[in-house]
Amino acid sequence: MSPKHHKHMHYNVALVDKLWNLKRLCEAQLKMHIPLNMVLKDEEYRAELLEKALQTNNAELTRLVWDIRQMEDSIVTATHSGDEFKARKKTRRSIKLGYVAAFACSLLLIMSGYLLRSFLPLNAGEVFVLEAVANTQVKSAVNKREQMTYVPAGQLVRATKPLFRVHGSNTVGERLAPRLVEAYFMARGATNIKTRQGNTPVEKAVSGELNGRIEFIEIHAHGSSTAFTDLLQDSAELGMSSRKIKDQERELLLAKSGDLGEPGAEHIIGLDGLAIITDTTNPATKLSIPELVKIFSGEVTNWSEIGGPNLPIKVYARDENSGTWDSFKSMVLDPAKATLVMTAKRIESSTELSDAVAKEPGAIGFIGLPYVRRAKLVPISATKTSKPILPAHFTVSTEDYPLARRLYFYLPQKNINADAEEFVKFSATERGQSIVEDIGLVSQNIKTGQAFNSDFYPQVMRDLTTRSQRLSLNFRFKDGSDELDTKGINDLERLVKYVEVNAPKRVQLFGFSDSEGDKAQNEELSLRRAKVVEQHLIERGIFPLVARGMGEEAPLASSKTEEGRRMNRRVEVWIL
């Protein structure tokens, strides 16, 4: 590499580093989740974010915005001529952002896993990043994940079998699992990391040069149920699922794999949330899941049938290959044994769907949270009588939003594959969780927010939380007990780290129950659950300021269904 080229590549690494800082500072100032992949690759989203950053009147953010714009200008000057702009008929800003997006895509994996140079001493890490970038070829700058190719390093021994095989959910396996595996290989010091498609689009292999060998990990994403059948048939060492393991599946695997419903076997790696959107003029203030079923199955065809204007309903949906469609189908249509109306307009692009719904009167659709753009967000309730909740990163994190769901890895506890176990642990780290965020899912990294207005809670709780902020996690429990579920156990460690970093903040715990049974007993049970969390924190050196039971107050859903009862049985965490 020539000295001039080496300097140029370093300059671009610095730009992407500033974009990462822009994301973090804007999240702190604007109190909103900002997906890194949108900042890097979506021209319009990024331009809007820079303008919002300036409007905060924060001196540090203002300097950062102007630094970014100057660096973008310099990149365009250094890499394009005026004739190129005319021939391609693009604006100067479009070319500037397009170049940065292409470059940023090749760095996204490095940033997500390591926040640039944080994984090595500064000089060595900087050299590593520059070498990686210099040998990277961008395959696609817009819709496909870039694969990393390096200069060949001589003859290596190629492994004949994978380190492990991870099979199951398409929602997890399409984008998240390959990205996590790539970052995991990097964490182990691998080079020449490549992702290749197998016999079908949902089969991939990620390889890397590691300890003098070309090692690889197999990913098959044929659906959540295949995670458990393949574990049973010894064709996978790790399962991935967008739903909790069923009792029948757990029992079939009990002798072979141990209890996959227990901590150590069941691992939540992130959450998925869907936004329901309508056109900007639609007066709808809320919709229930039963109403969504009727709309998207074609049972209801006019908004007047559900209390709206006399206007035909026009249904939009993502295409069959979309993970977003898979999520909507499994959360809304499948439980009601309903199918999508034949007249639904199917669109491949999330951005195009959102913009089409926003401008067509009577339109309704669903989309991933990062792609709402100008469309109108509709609060969703589990039933017609339960609390409607606006979809947001925060309400998905707390699982208050009814169209939120957990994403899982299942690791057998008999004859454990050590590489698979190490990979699962890596996925749960802050670095692993940053990748979850960057592809548009919801991580388990803790943030602060306010999910509802104060009227939702009983007066005693409002008095205690006047100056408090709610944290983006709820502790939930195993069915019929006050024992924390697997996510709750892992969230304890995240909460301890959060409090340590944010000392001297004090924790407040509020327990809630469902409304089944005696009211006094429910209040006692809700207090016991708050005390369980309190005791776990005390054992870890954290002494909560408050641990109170609110009983069946502030229900998130109807307690007439098992899912509603599960949502209502929780311990909320506030910080003062």
Side-chain angles (χ1 to χ4, degrees):
M1 188 190 327
S2 69
K4 180 179 179 181
H5 187 56
H6 189 284
K7 181 178 180 181
H8 177 62
M9 299 308 293
H10 172 73
Y11 189 64
N12 289 308
V13 170
L15 172 56
V16 181
D17 201 3
K18 286 187 180 295
L19 293 176
W20 175 266
N21 288 331
L22 176 72
K23 162 191 159 67
R24 306 295 284 189
L25 286 171
C26 282
E27 284 185 329
Q29 290 292 320
L30 301 174
K31 305 299 182 186
M32 59 184 288
H33 170 61
I34 298 168
L36 180 61
N37 64 328
M38 297 283 286
V39 178
L40 294 176
K41 294 193 286 184
D42 189 311
E43 171 184 340
E44 200 167 332
Y45 182 91
R46 180 174 169 182
E48 290 175 0
L49 183 62
L50 290 171
E51 291 300 326
K52 287 181 181 178
L54 286 176
Q55 291 169 13
T56 64
N57 294 320
N58 177 277
E60 186 177 6
L61 260 179
T62 300
R63 286 195 302 270
L64 185 59
V65 169
W66 291 115
D67 285 348
I68 289 170
R69 287 178 172 173
Q70 288 174 2
M71 294 175 79
E72 289 174 341
D73 290 342
S74 298
I75 289 172
V76 174
T77 302
T79 56
H80 298 279
S81 68
D83 292 338
E84 281 184 287
F85 297 145
K86 293 176 183 177
R88 296 184 185 184
K89 296 183 179 180
K90 292 182 179 180
T91 65
R92 186 170 182 271
R93 182 166 184 80
S94 296
I95 294 178
K96 173 171 59 181
L97 292 174
Y99 175 83
V100 174
F103 176 79
C105 287
S106 67
L107 283 180
L108 189 55
L109 172 63
I110 297 172
M111 289 185 63
S112 297
Y114 296 93
L115 311 186
L116 286 174
R117 293 173 291 276
S118 64
F119 56 99
L120 287 175
L122 180 61
N123 293 336
E126 191 162 292
V127 169
F128 179 86
V129 171
L130 295 178
E131 292 294 334
V133 173
N135 291 304
T136 298
Q137 298 176 350
V138 178
K139 303 293 184 182
S140 166
V142 183
N143 293 321
K144 297 182 180 178
R145 186 183 66 258
E146 286 63 36
Q147 300 175 2
M148 301 176 67
T149 58
Y150 292 76
V151 176
Q155 296 298 318
L156 296 169
V157 177
R158 183 178 294 275
T160 57
K161 65 177 184 178
L163 291 174
F164 60 89
R165 298 163 295 178
V166 53
H167 292 185
S169 165
N170 179 262
T171 302
V172 179
E174 182 182 21
R175 296 174 62 208
L176 177 58
R179 283 279 306 280
L180 286 172
V181 170
E182 290 165 350
Y184 168 68
F185 265 133
M186 290 186 67
R188 292 186 60 174
T191 58
N192 198 16
I193 300 168
K194 302 176 183 177
T195 298
R196 301 183 188 279
Q197 184 174 302
N199 296 327
T200 71
V202 295
E203 296 181 359
K204 297 180 176 70
V206 182
S207 64
E209 295 175 11
L210 185 64
N211 300 325
R213 289 166 55 87
I214 299 177
E215 303 283 5
F216 70 99
I217 294 169
E218 176 185 288
I219 303 170
H220 286 186
H222 292 283
S224 295
S225 61
T226 64
F228 309 110
T229 56
D230 289 1
L231 288 174
L232 188 62
Q233 295 170 5
D234 284 328
S235 55
E237 288 72 44
L238 181 64
M240 49 187 176
S241 179
S242 55
R243 60 167 173 81
K244 188 175 178 65
I245 188 172
K246 297 175 182 177
D247 288 340
Q248 184 180 6
E249 293 164 334
R250 186 178 61 81
E251 290 171 7
L252 284 172
L253 282 159
L254 197 59
K256 184 180 188 62
S257 302
D259 190 343
L260 293 188
E262 292 296 313
E266 183 179 75
H267 300 267
I268 290 85
I269 54 170
L271 298 110
D272 187 15
L274 289 180
I276 303 300
I277 56 173
T278 65
D279 68 281
T280 54
T281 62
N282 195 309
T285 57
K286 63 178 180 177
L287 287 170
S288 67
I289 290 180
E291 287 174 328
L292 291 180
V293 172
K294 291 179 180 180
I295 290 171
F296 282 90
S297 67
E299 182 179 344
V300 167
T301 59
N302 193 293
W303 285 101
S304 63
E305 297 177 61
I306 53 173
N310 183 16
L311 187 67
I313 295 174
K314 298 173 184 177
V315 174
Y316 282 76
R318 288 293 309 280
D319 63 295
E320 286 284 346
N321 297 321
S322 162
T324 306
W325 158 246
D326 179 63
S327 297
F328 180 84
K329 182 173 177 289
S330 63
M331 284 191 278
V332 177
L333 297 177
D334 285 352
K337 296 181 172 54
T339 56
L340 184 68
V341 62
M342 294 293 292
T343 56
K345 187 170 183 179
R346 310 300 292 269
I347 295 182
E348 182 179 5
S349 164
S350 294
T351 302
E352 288 180 17
L353 188 150
S354 183
D355 289 347
V357 169
K359 64 186 180 183
E360 181 170 4
I364 186 171
F366 56 87
I367 207 72
L369 287 174
Y371 298 97
V372 173
R373 294 163 66 86
R374 296 174 185 82
K376 177 182 175 179
L377 271 174
V378 182
I380 302 298
S381 61
T383 66
K384 289 193 72 172
T385 58
S386 54
K387 176 76 177 179
I389 298 172
L390 196 66
H393 186 272
F394 187 85
T395 54
V396 172
S397 293
T398 60
E399 299 178 276
D400 293 344
Y401 182 58
L403 293 184
R405 64 173 174 172
R406 298 177 178 186
L407 306 175
Y408 300 85
F409 279 147
Y410 282 95
L411 179 69
Q413 292 303 285
K414 294 184 179 180
N415 301 314
I416 297 177
N417 180 291
D419 293 298
E421 183 178 35
E422 186 179 357
F423 168 68
V424 170
K425 290 178 180 177
F426 169 80
S427 300
T429 64
E430 188 171 350
R431 292 172 179 175
Q433 289 297 296
S434 70
I435 295 174
V436 174
E437 286 193 15
D438 292 339
I439 69 165
L441 296 170
V442 177
S443 80
Q444 299 171 91
N445 292 335
I446 296 175
K447 295 179 172 63
T448 58
Q450 181 73 46
F452 309 108
N453 60 45
S454 60
D455 292 340
F456 179 65
Y457 295 103
Q459 186 63 50
V460 63
M461 184 173 167
R462 281 182 264 170
D463 293 339
L464 290 168
T465 57
T466 302
R467 295 180 292 109
S468 304
Q469 288 182 300
R470 189 177 167 195
L471 296 188
S472 61
L473 75 162
N474 279 345
F475 287 101
R476 286 191 163 87
F477 301 81
K478 293 183 177 180
D479 292 344
S481 78
D482 55 12
E483 184 180 349
L484 287 171
D485 65 10
T486 52
K487 184 178 187 300
I489 291 170
N490 292 325
D491 281 342
L492 282 171
E493 308 308 323
R494 293 188 180 94
L495 180 56
V496 169
K497 290 180 181 178
Y498 181 88
V499 174
E500 289 174 348
V501 170
N502 290 277
K505 296 286 188 180
R506 299 294 303 277
V507 170
Q508 298 171 293
L509 303 172
F510 298 95
F512 297 87
S513 71
D514 58 47
S515 59
E516 294 291 289
D518 181 73
K519 185 172 183 178
Q521 289 180 341
N522 287 337
E523 188 169 339
E524 180 184 346
L525 179 58
S526 68
L527 175 60
R528 190 159 73 241
R529 286 175 175 152
K531 290 292 185 181
V532 166
V533 177
E534 179 185 47
Q535 187 57 42
H536 278 297
L537 292 175
I538 289 173
E539 291 170 0
R540 291 161 173 79
I542 304 296
F543 294 86
L545 182 66
V546 172
R548 299 286 293 268
M550 297 292 108
E552 57 195 57
E553 299 285 345
L556 297 170
S558 168
S559 290
K560 295 186 182 299
T561 66
E562 179 52 44
E563 179 60 24
R565 291 191 291 272
R566 186 198 66 80
M567 289 182 67
N568 292 333
R569 296 190 296 249
R570 67 197 189 275
V571 173
E572 294 186 5
V573 185
W574 294 64
I575 197 161
L576 178 62

